[in-house]
Amino acid sequence: MVFALAAALSILAVGLICVFLFANGVPAMIEIGIPDFLLGTTWRPANDIYGIFPMIIGSIYVTAGALIFGVPAGLLTAIFLSRFASAKVAAFLKPGVELLAGIPSVVYGFFGLMIIVPFIRLNAPGNGLSLLAASILLGIMILPTVITVAKNALDAVPQSYYEGALALGATHERSVLCVLVPAAISGIMAGVVLGIGRAIGETMAVVMVAGNQPIIPASIFDGVRTMTANIVLEMGYAADLHRGALIATGVVLFVFILLISTLFNAMKKRGERS
């Protein structure tokens, strides 16, 4: 009974969030005009111009950059921890990975502002507050998710797969990379999808290092504004249609997260069937 009640409360909370978002965001989206809202390239609340296309592109660019920086490093670390690291090394590295997951996003943002942004400013065009800085920082932030899920997927592969590859004459490295990794691909992809969800929903760290310019960036050294950053930066003083436009931005973000969750569940079911 207690468990059923807890599950019902969780479902109710999600339902209330959906009702709030759609009840307040969809009317504003309709008033602005759905094509103008989703595809408009100008965000100018003072003139009642609300186009979030630059923020959509910014969110996609930042998330893609985070995957480029975070997924290879996370996957290689997971493979190392699962199949190459000694017990002592693994016992040392695992707490470090868990610590990364527990660091508040504002601390990540401060690290990016003090270390990553000045480094980019000294070695590349621009002032350092850029798409590149946000991508690097988010790539670091998604590492715990990618590493943990990928390692669990690799550990779940039957040992007979590895032993069979060795019996056929494959080396340890080839057995791991050519047999175990493909066998765990569904779980690994699930970790990537969860990393996407973490990256696209991150706010504070991105606000601190991305530059927050509501334009489509021409290069990785230009400033960028994501949908989450757009909501946080302006919700404190927004009113009327401006407030509705920000809530509508949350609706678009909610749809993005819903699609990511649906993809994750599909991958999970596919992995269970295989």
Side-chain angles (χ1 to χ4, degrees):
M1 182 64 181
V2 175
F3 297 112
L5 181 60
L9 288 175
S10 300
I11 296 172
L12 178 62
V14 174
L16 290 175
I17 292 172
C18 292
V19 170
F20 169 78
L21 283 177
F22 284 90
N24 291 275
V26 172
M29 198 182 302
I30 293 174
E31 183 176 348
I32 297 166
I34 294 177
D36 293 335
F37 181 71
L38 296 177
L39 303 178
T41 57
T42 302
W43 179 268
R44 197 174 299 155
N47 300 106
D48 282 341
I49 301 175
Y50 305 98
I52 66 166
F53 189 68
M55 278 68 85
I56 294 175
I57 294 298
S59 296
I60 293 173
Y61 280 179
V62 167
T63 302
L67 294 180
I68 291 173
F69 286 106
V71 170
L75 178 56
L76 291 175
T77 302
I79 294 172
F80 176 75
L81 289 174
S82 178
R83 298 293 173 172
F84 289 92
S86 64
K88 291 184 179 180
V89 173
F92 175 76
L93 291 179
K94 286 179 182 178
V97 174
E98 295 171 357
L99 180 62
L100 279 177
I103 296 175
S105 58
V106 68
V107 176
Y108 277 110
F110 187 73
F111 167 78
L113 194 61
M114 294 294 102
I115 304 297
I116 299 176
V117 170
F119 178 81
I120 295 175
R121 183 187 300 129
L122 292 174
N123 296 278
N127 62 4
L129 297 169
S130 60
L131 168 62
L132 178 61
S135 297
I136 294 174
L137 186 59
L138 282 180
I140 297 172
M141 294 179 71
I142 68 173
L143 280 175
T145 301
V146 176
I147 292 172
T148 301
V149 177
K151 181 181 181 300
N152 290 339
L154 289 167
D155 291 343
V157 177
Q159 185 67 14
S160 59
Y161 285 35
Y162 172 74
E163 294 172 352
L166 290 180
L168 293 174
T171 62
H172 173 61
E173 292 78 8
R174 181 167 294 183
S175 299
V176 172
L177 297 177
C178 297
V179 177
L180 297 184
V181 172
I185 194 64
S186 295
I188 292 172
M189 289 304 299
V192 174
V193 171
L194 290 176
I196 293 174
R198 172 71 192 276
I200 201 170
E202 180 54 46
T203 306
M204 185 52 65
V206 175
V207 168
M208 295 175 71
V209 303
N212 304 310
Q213 300 174 26
I215 58 175
I216 299 175
S219 75
I220 60 174
F221 305 112
D222 290 341
V224 66
R225 180 183 290 190
T226 63
M227 289 185 284
T228 53
N230 192 50
I231 297 170
V232 167
L233 290 171
E234 300 187 10
M235 184 58 80
Y237 61 87
D240 302 326
L241 185 59
H242 184 192
R243 181 176 180 273
L246 293 176
I247 296 176
T249 304
V251 172
V252 176
L253 182 63
F254 181 82
V255 172
F256 269 76
I257 299 297
L258 182 62
L259 292 175
I260 292 170
S261 299
T262 302
L263 179 61
F264 168 70
N265 289 331
M267 289 183 175
K268 184 178 179 180
K269 290 180 180 179
R270 180 180 177 183
E272 290 174 353
R273 287 197 301 267
S274 60

